Structures are given as structure tokens and as C-alpha cells.
Amino acid sequence: MKLFYMPGACSLAPHIVLEWIGKPFELDRVERGKTREPEFLAVNPVGKVPALIEEDGRVLTEAEAILLYLAEKFPDDHLGASPTLEAQYEMHKWMSYLTGDVHPAFYPYFLPQRYITDEHQYPAVREAAYKQIDACFQLLDHHMRDRTYMVEKRRTVLDPYLFVFCCWGKSLSKPFTDYPNLHRFLMQMADDAGVQRAMQAQRITL
């Protein structure tokens, strides 16, 4: 397997999962601003990381889909949901929330130029985006109260995904310690050996 990633992007989540699984894989770094270059578009026409190339040449894209795929492909690592309807619902509910609400909330904060051409309005765009991010973090912080992991009582592919957004949250104006349960989760994940290997490979730090 080969994972195309950008340091610190959401591709960090499947990278951590691959470290946890422990099977051989390669890394291919995509530089920021290069995802629309013809070389990478030949891999993923959408022009986004992550992209995962399987041994048979198939290309998998979209972080959520790759995470769930890896959980299904390597069931012995127990990174997916338990085989009950309720557990699978919880897995898909939170995966959908991270993908559909939390992740896109950061886009206008980090990239206001995608949404407005007047540079003088960038602070207003970021302020509006921050309010949405803060609402998401407050909900997640409440969910993580008295929890070590996002669902069940063990790590799953949800945890590296949440970890990525917690890392991004440290760049906000509000101290991340204001979300005490998320901050605890962030520090707990930072101590994990697989997380540390992935971050070292991507040359990123908290």
C-alpha cells in the first residue's frame, strides 16, 4: 500500500491507522499547493489527500472511506465498530459528523480566499468560521466527558480522525485547554507510539 499525504492534513488519520495495523506501506508526500498538479491529479482527479493505492493498483480516496476500509480490511486489529447495529450506527454517526461538520468548518478559517476575493473581509470570514468550529468542539468536548475513546471502550479509526482536528484546534485563538476533555484526549493520543511514529514521519509536532 502507498499513502499520499500532506503533513498535518486529514491524511494523518489513515497514516496513524496504518501505523497501528503494522503492515508494510509506503508514504508519498504531496507538498501544499501541489494537489492540482497533473502528476497528483493522475492519482486523484479530485486533487485532495489522502489517496491510498492498494497492491492491485486500485486508488482509494476520501479520508472517511479509507478509514472505514482499513478497519474492514484488517478486522483482527479491532479498529472498526463491534458487530451490533447500535455500535455500527455510533461509528457511522460520528464519522459522518467529523466529515460533514467538523472538517468543512475549518475550510473558511484556513482558506478564506476560497470564499471571498476581498482580502479585507478575511477576518470576518475567519470569525464566522471560528464560531462554527467552537460549536463543534463544545459538542465533542461534551461527548468525550468520562470517555477515553470516541466510541466503545477501545481505540477505533474514529480516534485518529478526531486527533487531527484537535491538532488543528491548537492553532485557534481560543486556548485548546478550554475544551478540557478534548485536550485530555489530545495528550493521550500524543503519547501513543503509533501516533508518534506518524508525526515523526511527517515531521510535525503539536
Side-chain angles (χ1 to χ4, degrees), residues 54-99:
E54 270 285 23
E55 291 89 342
D56 60 6
R58 287 179 298 122
V59 179
L60 286 65
T61 61
E62 302 299 330
E64 174 183 0
I66 292 173
L67 290 169
L68 293 172
Y69 173 86
L70 290 172
E72 291 290 331
K73 181 175 180 179
F74 301 101
D76 291 346
D77 290 286
H78 305 290
L79 296 173
S82 296
T84 67
L85 189 60
E86 293 80 5
Q88 293 182 21
Y89 164 75
E90 286 295 311
M91 169 69 72
H92 287 283
K93 178 185 78 172
W94 287 109
M95 189 67 80
S96 295
Y97 183 71
L98 294 179
T99 299

Side-chain angles (χ1 to χ4, degrees), residues 7 52 133-134 163 197:
L52 182 69
I133 296 168
D134 181 55
F163 175 72
R197 289 194 300 271

Side-chain angles (χ1 to χ4, degrees), residues 136-180:
C136 290
F137 277 165
Q138 288 190 44
L139 186 150
L140 288 166
D141 191 69
H142 178 76
H143 172 72
M144 292 302 294
R145 185 180 57 184
D146 301 323
R147 290 177 179 268
T148 302
Y149 307 103
M150 274 207 80
V151 294
E152 311 205 21
K153 294 183 179 180
R154 57 177 172 80
R155 68 186 187 184
T156 69
V157 292
L158 280 169
D159 297 307
Y161 208 15
L162 176 59
F163 175 72
V164 168
F165 302 127
C166 289
C167 290
W168 293 0
K170 286 178 61 64
S171 67
L172 302 176
S173 56
K174 183 176 182 177
F176 200 68
T177 50
D178 284 4
Y179 310 104

